[in-house]
Amino acid sequence: MLTREPEFYPPAINWLGLLGRDIWMTCRNAGRALLMLWEGLLDLRFMLGNRARPEVVYQLYVTGIKSIGVISVVAMFTGMILALQTGLELRKFGQEVNIGAAVMVSMLREMGPFMTALILAASVGSAMAAELGTMVVSEEIAALEVMSIRPVRFLVMPRLVAMMVMTPLMTFYACMLGVIGGALVGTTQLGVSLQAYIDNATRFAENKDLYVGLFKAFVFGIIVTTVSCHQGFSTTEGAVGVGRATRRSVIISFLSILIVGYVITRLFYV
Amino acid sequence: MIKFEHVTKYFGERRVLDDLDFEVQRGETFVIVGFSGAGKSVSLKHMIRLLTPDQGAVWVDGEDISHAGQRDLVRLRERFGVLFQSAALLEWLTVGENVALPLREKTDLDDAEIHRRVEETLNMVNLNDIYLAHPSDLSGGMRKRVGLARAIITNPEIILYDEPTSGLDPVTSRTIDDLIDRLRRELKVTGVVVTHDLFSALAIGTRIAMIHQGHFIELSTPADFIKSRHQVVQDFLEAQYITKKGAWEAPRNETHQQSIT
Ligand SMILES: Nc1ncnc2c1ncn2[C@@H]1O[C@H](COP(=O)(O)OP(=O)(O)O)[C@@H](O)[C@H]1O
Ligand SMILES: [Mg+2]
């Protein structure tokens, strides 16, 4: 059941009590978020059904097409900055041709998935938290439950699909744009020929970099959806609560992306 | 049909429902009146387990909904239609899609049939030509009526109305009153109505209860309700210019009494 009773706690006796309660609440919320994710994953089987399809398509559109602009700009400039910074250093040793590898590998392995996930968390994820939070406050979630329409199937599943598909796609797109940005700087500012840049980039980057990067993006997509939807559903206390849920969804998403990103890198590259 | 068994509910330190004990009979329209914040909506939410009692239990047709498991809960809730105080329309859907939602999700009717049912139900609540409007473009009273349409479209056997006529003009209010009364008489719907509007309470109620400080201070037929000796009830009546000397007469009361006993 997602519609929760309001909870009340007596004031804590001292800071230790407060800390204990905070830890307990954090664990409980994490558990609830994971349960919600599990339910959402099971509901993926309804993804292509007549009832869910329009909403799934709409969410794909919102998540992908609507954020393509900002991702393009950020990816392009990230590639350009990477190329310029490393290029200027490498030039001291006459090695500026290696910017190809530097840009390609860092975009694929880290910058691409990381950047895309952060942008999606800040735009799409925060919108999810705010939307669902508003629905809780205006009793829409309660109304769904009373109509026996499960909010997770109805609301979370389409968003989950959209993020699971779009985060890797957008990541791939961001990597390509980043590499193009790097090429632009390489050819115009650093005097590296396009051919040399491409050769260098493809020689050092491995398929593994691509796969791990896309896997990371996929996981980040799930994290952002889970955190944001859970925060939305946990909203209490009206408009103030919606603001708090939105803020928390972004903060928790960012932190989780960083930590999980490290863990995945550690697992695959050490 | 719906039975509250010594229900007590706390919000923090506050006891909002205090040993509430009553039963709504099958086929009656049970009206709950009371001041704002008295716990009317809270008691309504207990009937569909959006809230769970701290003590006591709520029974729906012989089943304890307040301790039911997930599966039983779904089955019990399917017998209800609920109009929320805030109407609770889904903002990103059109009015038509909102009203169609229960049919689309819970039945296998085809689109044409659903469309026909939706138009028909919207007509019942005096709304025409707003199929494609969005809830955010509607006035509070119109949203209420869309919510009412959504609550009744599945022909539920029990309907809970949270302030069905608040925010409506007097003429439309009487239309909604007629609708609620017609649902009871023609379709034998069991209704629970929460309202501030005593005129509507007296017109549609088979019994009226007044909730105050967590329990009913008066529970009687409309004819007896206006004669209540309880001071709080008297104040409540007088605030709406209804006195026991009878600014208001109850022509339908006799039949009501016969129909429930
Ligand atoms: N979710 C909630 N959390 C805390 N207090 C609540 C909640 N819902 C209702 N209350 C409190 O319970 C009391 C009764 O509320 P309600 O039943 O909505 O009043 P009304 O009779 O006007 O419908 C109010 O004082 C309200 O503050
Ligand atoms: Mg209320």
Side-chain angles (χ1 to χ4, degrees):
Chain A
M1 268 206 301
L2 274 159
T3 323
R4 301 225 174 79
E5 308 256 337
E7 290 171 330
F8 297 91
Y9 297 95
I13 308 153
N14 53 27
W15 66 270
L16 210 67
L18 211 60
L19 183 73
R21 186 190 295 167
D22 275 359
I23 292 174
W24 156 239
M25 295 292 261
T26 309
C27 295
R28 197 188 60 174
N29 285 335
R32 281 181 175 172
L34 288 175
L35 277 180
M36 187 200 78
L37 170 63
W38 176 240
E39 196 183 333
L41 289 173
L42 290 180
D43 284 340
L44 288 179
R45 66 180 188 277
F46 300 117
M47 177 167 81
L48 298 174
N50 276 332
R51 294 188 176 119
R53 208 182 311 126
E55 181 66 8
V56 169
V57 171
Y58 177 72
Q59 290 298 333
L60 281 168
Y61 166 74
V62 169
T63 314
I65 311 300
K66 290 269 182 181
S67 32
I68 212 163
V70 59
I71 289 181
S72 306
V73 175
V74 175
M76 191 88 176
F77 275 93
T78 311
M80 287 163 67
I81 291 168
L82 271 174
L84 200 59
Q85 283 285 11
T86 49
L88 290 177
E89 283 305 307
L90 289 172
R91 182 187 260 173
K92 292 178 187 158
F93 314 102
Q95 295 279 319
E96 56 263 46
V97 69
N98 283 324
I99 57 167
V103 173
M104 186 78 153
V105 171
S106 52
M107 283 305 285
L108 280 182
R109 283 190 183 179
E110 295 297 337
M111 296 307 288
F114 187 64
M115 228 175 47
T116 312
L118 290 195
I119 291 172
L120 289 180
S123 56
V124 180
S126 64
M128 280 180 201
E131 274 168 22
L132 299 193
T134 311
M135 292 185 69
V136 170
V137 171
S138 57
E139 295 181 319
E140 290 166 50
I141 303 288
L144 285 177
E145 294 219 309
V146 172
M147 290 188 275
S148 298
I149 299 172
R150 277 189 301 112
V152 173
R153 199 211 70 215
F154 193 71
L155 298 166
V156 177
M157 184 271 286
R159 287 167 169 81
L160 196 59
V161 174
M163 286 297 273
M164 280 170 30
V165 172
M166 278 303 171
T167 322
L169 272 184
M170 288 292 125
T171 297
F172 184 74
Y173 169 76
C175 291
M176 292 307 105
L177 265 192
V179 172
I180 292 173
L184 218 64
V185 168
T187 49
T188 59
Q189 315 280 308
L190 299 163
V192 180
S193 80
L194 191 60
Q195 193 56 49
Y197 178 87
I198 293 173
D199 281 350
N200 185 274
T202 44
R203 186 145 48 85
F204 281 95
E206 299 169 35
N207 280 347
K208 180 183 170 193
D209 295 333
L210 177 66
Y211 298 149
V212 175
L214 294 186
F215 173 70
K216 244 184 211 173
F218 178 78
V219 175
F220 290 165
I222 293 177
I223 290 177
V224 171
T225 318
T226 310
V227 169
S228 306
C229 290
H230 176 255
Q231 283 300 324
F233 280 141
S234 320
T235 302
T236 51
E237 296 171 35
V240 183
V242 175
R244 185 170 46 213
T246 311
R247 179 159 41 81
R248 277 197 199 153
S249 81
V250 175
I251 294 174
I252 299 175
S253 294
F254 273 33
L255 293 179
S256 324
I257 287 170
L258 275 168
I259 295 168
V260 172
Y262 172 81
V263 172
I264 295 179
T265 307
R266 177 76 178 67
L267 284 179
F268 282 94
Y269 284 103
V270 177
Chain B
M1 192 75 178
I2 303 171
K3 186 168 171 225
F4 273 51
E5 203 175 65
H6 301 288
V7 169
T8 299
K9 179 70 183 175
Y10 289 87
F11 283 134
E13 297 284 290
R14 264 198 67 200
R15 195 180 322 160
V16 180
L17 300 184
D18 181 7
D19 198 23
L20 199 56
D21 198 77
F22 67 97
E23 179 162 8
V24 177
Q25 304 294 337
R26 187 184 295 274
E28 77 168 330
T29 299
F30 190 91
V31 179
I32 303 174
V33 298
F35 297 103
S36 289
K40 303 185 294 294
S41 299
V42 168
S43 52
L44 218 54
K45 282 179 183 161
H46 276 80
M47 298 177 188
I48 36 175
R49 182 72 178 284
L50 286 175
L51 292 169
T52 311
D54 290 323
Q55 288 153 29
V58 179
W59 297 75
V60 174
D61 204 12
E63 288 186 73
D64 182 355
I65 193 171
S66 43
H67 299 94
Q70 193 64 37
R71 206 170 285 245
D72 291 332
L73 189 57
V74 168
R75 189 170 46 75
L76 284 170
R77 278 174 172 172
E78 263 161 13
R79 305 171 65 174
F80 284 86
V82 183
L83 167 62
F84 283 83
Q85 189 168 358
S86 59
L89 305 177
L90 305 179
E91 298 292 332
W92 78 96
L93 298 178
T94 64
V95 166
E97 289 168 333
N98 262 291
V99 179
L101 191 65
L103 293 183
R104 230 185 261 300
E105 294 285 331
K106 290 285 140 195
T107 67
D108 292 322
L109 300 177
D110 60 34
D111 282 357
E113 173 67 8
I114 290 179
H115 191 92
R116 198 187 58 71
R117 287 270 295 270
V118 171
E119 291 283 7
E120 184 185 290
T121 315
L122 283 173
N123 281 339
M124 284 169 83
V125 294
N126 269 13
L127 290 172
N128 305 301
D129 298 327
I130 62 160
Y131 197 92
L132 293 175
H134 273 272
S136 50
D137 301 335
L138 304 182
S139 73
M142 291 165 91
R143 296 168 62 95
K144 252 318 176 10
R145 282 181 285 160
V146 176
L148 182 56
R150 185 178 68 184
I152 63 179
I153 195 164
T154 51
N155 299 327
E157 31 169 331
I158 312 167
I159 306 182
L160 311 182
Y161 312 85
D162 201 340
E163 306 199 5
T165 55
S166 71
L168 298 186
D169 61 86
V171 177
T172 314
S173 294
R174 297 296 85 85
T175 318
I176 298 301
D177 287 350
D178 282 345
L179 174 66
I180 295 174
D181 206 41
R182 218 171 62 224
L183 287 169
R184 176 181 69 81
R185 280 184 284 116
E186 291 171 9
L187 300 174
K188 310 277 179 257
V189 166
T190 306
V192 181
V193 182
V194 160
T195 185
H196 289 294
D197 181 352
L198 263 173
F199 286 97
S200 119
L202 293 166
I204 62 178
T206 48
R207 284 192 297 161
I208 303 180
M210 175 147 180
I211 188 169
H212 187 63
Q213 291 173 347
H215 52 261
F216 290 157
I217 51 172
E218 180 65 58
L219 196 177
S220 55
T221 59
D224 292 337
F225 189 81
I226 53 171
K227 293 191 218 120
S228 168
R229 290 181 190 284
H230 203 290
Q231 190 55 45
V232 181
V233 181
Q234 279 303 316
D235 291 347
F236 195 76
L237 289 166
E238 272 162 29
Q240 299 194 30
Y241 305 107
I242 298 171
T243 60
K244 59 180 153 182
K245 287 174 208 78
W248 184 87
E249 286 294 335
R252 296 213 301 268
N253 274 338
E254 317 314 321
T255 52
H256 282 173
Q257 271 166 325
Q258 282 159 9
S259 65
I260 57 166
T261 49

